[in-house]
Amino acid sequence: MKKNDVVLGGGILAIALVMFLVMHLTRNEAGNQIQITVDGVVYGTYSLEKNQVIEVKEDDFYNRIRIQDGAAYMEEANCPDGYCEEQGKINGRTQTIVCLPHKLVVEVLDADGLENDSASEQLPDTISK
């Protein structure tokens, strides 16, 4: 190995370490709401500060998301693999829960000045199958 090889390897390791630290530090920043989308269409936005259960029903699929103690998790789903139920609790700004068979995504957002989460709890008319 030559000196340039060692410098190149060290540079790559340093960049990887910096990227890991940035991802790790931003992951721990808690959001204050979640947004649920179904097939790319926003289903609703909900505060993480209010303990509640959101049931998403469309045709044959069913998902139940629970918000409790500032974190959200998939409590129940009737998808064949059940992987979304195993993804655990989320409350960090970069965390998501995905149910691929139902095309459902739950993501944590950080929106300052969340005014009224009940206004967006209605299922939009644009979701259809």
Side-chain angles (χ1 to χ4, degrees):
M1 283 193 353
K2 297 181 181 179
K3 182 179 178 182
N4 289 341
D5 294 335
V6 173
V7 170
L8 178 63
I12 291 172
L13 285 175
I15 291 171
L17 179 63
V18 168
M19 290 176 61
F20 174 77
L21 290 174
V22 167
M23 289 173 52
H24 182 69
L25 292 174
T26 59
R27 180 182 178 126
N28 291 334
E29 293 180 20
N32 59 6
Q33 64 180 348
I34 61 167
Q35 182 175 17
I36 300 172
T37 56
V38 179
D39 201 13
V41 178
V42 175
Y43 181 85
T45 305
Y46 306 89
S47 173
L48 283 173
E49 297 173 0
K50 178 182 175 186
N51 291 343
Q52 57 187 312
V53 175
I54 301 106
E55 294 183 349
V56 181
K57 297 177 184 178
E58 181 68 28
D59 295 335
D60 294 334
F61 83 76
Y62 171 78
N63 293 79
R64 182 184 315 146
I65 299 106
R66 179 174 294 274
I67 300 173
Q68 187 172 5
D69 301 327
Y73 63 96
M74 186 71 64
E75 184 174 62
E76 184 180 349
N78 68 345
C79 53
D81 59 5
Y83 179 68
C84 56
E85 296 175 79
E86 299 172 9
Q87 294 181 30
K89 296 181 178 184
I90 61 171
N91 67 353
R93 288 190 337 186
T94 61
Q95 295 177 315
T96 59
I97 297 173
V98 178
C99 182
L100 283 177
H102 297 162
K103 299 178 183 175
L104 182 137
V105 177
V106 180
E107 65 181 318
V108 178
L109 303 175
D110 183 27
D112 294 328
L114 179 63
E115 294 176 6
N116 186 0
D117 63 294
S118 62
S120 60
E121 291 180 10
Q122 301 288 327
L123 178 64
D125 295 330
T126 57
I127 295 180
S128 62
K129 293 209 176 202

